[in-house]
Amino acid sequence: MVNAQTGLAPDYAEFNGAPSGSGHQEFRFDAWRVISNIAVDFQWWKANGWAVEESRRLLTFFRAQGIANYGNQFNLTGSSLSGDHSPGLVSMNALAALALPAPEGQDFVQELWNLTPPSGRYRYYDGMLYFLALLHASGRFVPYGI
């Protein structure tokens, strides 16, 4: 379940969508992948108009934080828990932008193209999200076998 105003999802959730897990009720690292799941599902199947609304809500929130410097962790109502600007989250937000008309999401996709490939301590997680976003945004991440 995402927050109706911010679009932020909890890090861990129960099957009914309720936040769960000690220290994981907020928007943190695992929640970044929720953005990707929604965006990829929409891009491949276009079966759920809610994905467009959710992408717009989420990117409106991040745009208000400052597109080039938003943090990477928040409580679900939008209060910042960290000032770190992470390539993994930038990458996932670029995927959300693909569910919107180009003028609405272009700046988020441009931020993906502007990224330097992740290195250092968090290179594995940030790097994998970055790589998957590049594949998807370039049209190379496609459903095979259908």
Side-chain angles (χ1 to χ4, degrees):
M1 180 180 314
V2 299
N3 182 277
Q5 280 72 47
T6 63
L8 298 172
D11 210 28
Y12 293 0
E14 301 292 339
F15 285 110
N16 67 1
S20 73
S22 177
H24 293 280
Q25 299 91 343
E26 311 298 349
F27 180 83
R28 297 184 188 273
F29 309 105
D30 286 336
W32 300 354
R33 295 177 300 172
V34 171
I35 302 166
S36 174
N37 292 338
I38 293 167
V40 170
D41 182 66
F42 180 78
Q43 283 299 306
W44 285 354
W45 316 115
K46 297 196 178 20
N48 187 342
W50 174 84
V52 176
E53 296 170 27
E54 170 57 12
S55 294
R56 184 171 286 123
R57 181 177 19 257
L58 187 71
L59 295 183
T60 297
F61 169 77
F62 282 110
R63 184 174 279 113
Q65 306 304 307
I67 194 164
N69 58 6
Y70 51 80
N72 64 10
Q73 299 175 72
F74 297 86
N75 70 27
L76 298 185
T77 59
S79 296
S80 180
L81 300 173
S82 169
D84 293 343
H85 188 66
S86 297
L89 181 55
V90 171
S91 300
M92 296 298 94
N93 284 340
L95 289 184
L98 297 177
L100 302 177
E104 287 184 62
Q106 184 173 352
D107 46 352
F108 285 94
V109 176
Q110 188 61 53
E111 286 295 308
L112 171 65
W113 298 127
N114 292 344
L115 282 175
T116 300
S119 62
R121 183 173 181 193
Y122 300 110
R123 72 187 174 279
Y124 176 76
Y125 191 65
D126 282 329
M128 288 306 298
L129 297 179
Y130 171 72
F131 178 66
L132 289 171
L134 287 176
L135 285 173
H136 192 74
S138 67
R140 303 285 187 195
F141 188 47
V142 296
Y144 288 99
I146 33 175

